[in-house]
Amino acid sequence: MTNDTAVQALLDYLRESDEPEIFWPRHHFEESCFSRWAAWEMIEAILDHPFDDPEDVIEEFTMKMVIFSSIADGTDEGRIFSIAADFADECLTLFREENSNDKTNHHRSVEKRPEVNEKAQP
């Protein structure tokens, strides 16, 4: 996955997800706010590390959020970091699945091309 692809996926999430509304139940409001905050933080981290794999950058962000959540366990801040960690972990899982599917589809498309298979045989 390229940095551009990861950033675009996060921007798509921000564009397509609902802006939090004050009248929402507190739980939903917080989930939306803190997930959107985490998305912006991940975008910034990816852009700040243009030569690093975006999955590595997101994994590092996830680990930081887990640590911060553990330190602040039982507080409002702990909840913020916990939601951010869960969101980042979910993004990481989706990116890895997408990356895995891309590789599988590429491999299958090569298998279907007889000229490639003929060249590969001795």
Side-chain angles (χ1 to χ4, degrees):
M1 167 172 288
T2 66
N3 288 359
D4 291 342
T5 304
V7 167
Q8 188 58 54
L10 291 165
L11 288 171
D12 289 346
Y13 162 77
L14 290 166
R15 186 178 61 252
E16 294 169 7
S17 65
D18 292 332
E19 291 275 341
E21 299 285 344
I22 195 72
F23 60 84
W24 286 4
R26 181 178 178 173
H27 175 76
H28 294 298
F29 181 83
E30 289 177 346
E31 289 269 337
S32 179
C33 286
F34 304 144
S35 295
R36 293 174 65 82
W37 167 76
W40 282 115
E41 289 294 317
M42 288 187 287
I43 289 169
E44 187 175 317
I46 291 167
L47 294 176
D48 284 348
H49 298 90
F51 300 110
D52 294 345
D53 185 315
E55 290 180 20
D56 293 342
V57 173
I58 293 170
E59 186 172 27
E60 182 178 335
F61 176 80
T62 303
M63 289 187 288
K64 286 179 183 177
M65 295 300 105
V66 168
I67 291 167
F68 294 160
S69 174
S70 296
I71 292 169
D73 190 34
T75 66
D76 289 340
E77 292 81 9
R79 178 156 165 68
I80 293 168
F81 296 128
S82 177
I83 290 170
D86 290 345
F87 177 75
D89 187 55
E90 185 178 325
C91 289
L92 191 58
T93 299
L94 292 173
F95 290 158
R96 286 182 174 158
E97 285 175 2
E98 182 67 28
N99 204 15
S100 174
N101 289 339
D102 288 347
K103 288 177 184 175
T104 301
N105 291 337
H106 173 72
H107 180 69
R108 286 185 183 147
S109 69
V110 169
E111 287 176 347
K112 291 179 183 177
R113 294 177 37 207
E115 69 277 7
V116 172
N117 291 330
E118 288 171 9
K119 291 178 186 176
Q121 295 177 3

